[in-house]
Amino acid sequence: SQQGEEDPQALSIQEGENATMNCSYKTSINNLQWYRQNSGRGLVHLILIRSNEREKHSGRLRVTLDTSKKSSSLLITASRAADTASYFCATEWNDYKLSFGAGTTVTVRA
Amino acid sequence: GAVVSQHPSRVICKSGTSVKIECRSLDFQATTMFWYRQFPKKSLMLMATSNEGSKATYEQGVEKDKFLINHASLTLSTLTVTSAHPEDSSFYICSAPPVLLDAYLYGYTFGSGTRLTVV
């Protein structure tokens, strides 16, 4: 497996608070991607950060990448109940194959 | 945009029977499709890669005879779970790799998944 751990495994926050989750990986990468999965559904692509980028924003999402530590973080600001989902990081390896982290389950309480 | 349609979304079958899961690329041609398996509250594990016009390639530890993958056309890939047993119960998801459509590069596109329960 190309992928390491994600932490925390689960996160419960109040609506309006920020949620931060981290991902580590094992090998050199071209890019790192974050996905959201609602319960029992497929994955939705959130954001991609390239190996030469350190930070990227998309709406309420902020992703950082530290290639020296082989780690990335995803920050969701001003969380909403609709953000309740599992979040996965993924790295590409051979021929477009993706390797996924263990995922963080986020619960946003109203 | 690039859409992958996966059916059925849920299926319950008896032990010993076979179940076919279909993934169709609706508005683009997918020469490759990835098939993942996901256990409850776990990550996605790549099972195999289907390639139109050639044999599928399986990841280590995945039984080829148990999970038959066929890429019948440029818009259809199927996963058949043969002689299903309760331990095959899982969530199966297909995914197409990035595709250039109308000069826009779409990233990985995932089907909505199939919840298989074998009783």
Side-chain angles (χ1 to χ4, degrees):
Chain A
S1 169
Q2 309 294 305
Q3 200 50 265
E5 296 295 318
E6 262 177 86
D7 76 273
Q9 288 187 338
L11 186 58
S12 180
I13 55 174
Q14 202 72 33
E15 209 165 22
E17 294 180 338
N18 297 341
T20 300
M21 58 212 87
N22 305 293
C23 160
S24 63
Y25 55 92
K26 295 177 180 175
T27 63
S28 297
I29 59 170
N30 292 325
N31 63 67
L32 186 141
Q33 303 169 39
W34 284 90
Y35 289 86
R36 184 183 75 223
Q37 183 182 35
N38 290 91
S39 181
R41 306 287 295 177
L43 273 70
V44 173
H45 180 263
L46 294 177
I47 196 166
L48 179 150
I49 185 165
R50 302 189 189 286
S51 59
N52 61 352
E53 297 175 310
R54 291 296 167 258
E55 188 171 309
K56 200 163 182 179
H57 297 253
S58 176
R60 294 183 295 113
L61 304 179
R62 187 186 82 147
V63 169
T64 63
L65 180 64
D66 187 333
T67 52
S68 67
K69 295 180 180 178
K70 292 187 167 59
S71 69
S72 174
S73 69
L74 171 67
L75 167 69
I76 305 173
T77 60
S79 63
R80 305 168 182 169
D83 295 328
T84 293
S86 292
Y87 293 82
F88 295 91
C89 64
T91 54
E92 276 182 23
W93 48 296
N94 297 336
D95 297 329
Y96 289 113
K97 295 178 181 179
L98 289 179
S99 180
F100 287 88
T104 296
T105 299
V106 175
T107 303
V108 181
R109 307 185 306 272
Chain B
V3 176
V4 170
S5 176
Q6 183 172 348
H7 293 281
S9 58
R10 303 178 175 269
V11 57
I12 300 173
C13 70
K14 292 183 178 180
S15 286
T17 61
S18 295
V19 173
K20 181 185 281 189
I21 301 169
E22 292 188 348
C23 270
R24 294 179 185 275
S25 54
L26 295 186
D27 42 10
F28 66 102
Q29 294 181 334
T31 56
T32 298
M33 195 74 78
F34 300 109
W35 287 92
Y36 294 87
R37 181 174 182 175
Q38 185 178 30
F39 291 102
K41 300 191 179 183
K42 296 290 184 184
S43 187
L44 282 74
M45 299 300 296
L46 180 65
M47 298 172 63
T49 305
S50 72
N51 301 289
E52 191 273 336
S54 62
K55 288 183 179 179
T57 56
Y58 291 79
E59 297 302 309
Q60 194 171 9
V62 177
E63 299 176 61
K64 300 179 183 181
D65 295 332
K66 159 69 74 177
F67 300 102
L68 298 180
I69 288 175
N70 183 259
H71 205 119
S73 71
L74 288 171
T75 58
L76 176 62
S77 176
T78 61
L79 164 65
T80 301
V81 183
T82 62
S83 187
H85 290 284
E87 58 265 30
D88 298 325
S89 297
S90 196
F91 193 63
Y92 295 88
I93 309 176
C94 60
S95 171
V99 61
L100 187 65
L101 263 183
D102 298 326
Y104 184 85
L105 180 63
Y106 290 89
Y108 292 85
T109 309
F110 288 81
S112 53
T114 297
R115 171 77 57 197
L116 171 64
T117 303
V118 184
V119 297

